[in-house]
Amino acid sequence: MPISEKAQRAWKAGTAVVTAWTAWYGLFHIDYGPHEHVFSEVQRWYRRKIDDMLGINLNAARQIENSKQQSASVAVGSQSQSEDEKR
């Protein structure tokens, strides 16, 4: 029993959407490892554009992360000093 033309069009449209989504995901989101690959520059460009669109400032985020790490290391250092004083 052959399927109707309407069903064929729907199937083709669905196939096109799934194919386009797979290509988009493969190009921009798949992590191919730490080494440089053919999509590295495109992925960096895409991520910069998304960050700009969302208002994310990468330098500010790095500074916040560094300050958190520094404060954590200071807290660990002060804990070890207080333990030494107790002894």
Side-chain angles (χ1 to χ4, degrees):
M1 176 171 129
I3 59 174
S4 68
E5 287 185 34
K6 187 175 181 179
Q8 286 178 352
R9 279 194 304 266
W11 183 259
K12 287 179 184 179
T15 301
V17 168
V18 169
T19 302
W21 181 85
T22 303
W24 173 80
Y25 188 80
L27 180 61
F28 295 117
H29 290 281
I30 291 179
D31 183 10
Y32 294 100
H35 57 279
E36 287 290 312
H37 51 81
V38 70
F39 299 131
S40 293
E41 188 62 34
V42 175
Q43 287 179 343
R44 282 191 290 269
W45 172 82
Y46 175 75
R47 289 179 182 131
R48 279 193 310 267
K49 292 297 179 184
I50 293 296
D51 288 348
D52 289 345
M53 185 176 66
L54 296 175
I56 297 171
N57 185 340
L58 187 57
N59 292 330
R62 285 181 181 155
Q63 289 175 348
I64 291 169
E65 185 63 31
N66 288 339
S67 66
K68 285 181 181 178
Q69 289 176 352
Q70 289 174 353
S71 64
S73 65
V74 169
V76 169
S78 65
Q79 285 179 348
S80 64
Q81 287 177 352
S82 64
E83 289 176 2
D84 290 339
E85 292 171 358
K86 290 179 183 177
R87 293 180 192 170

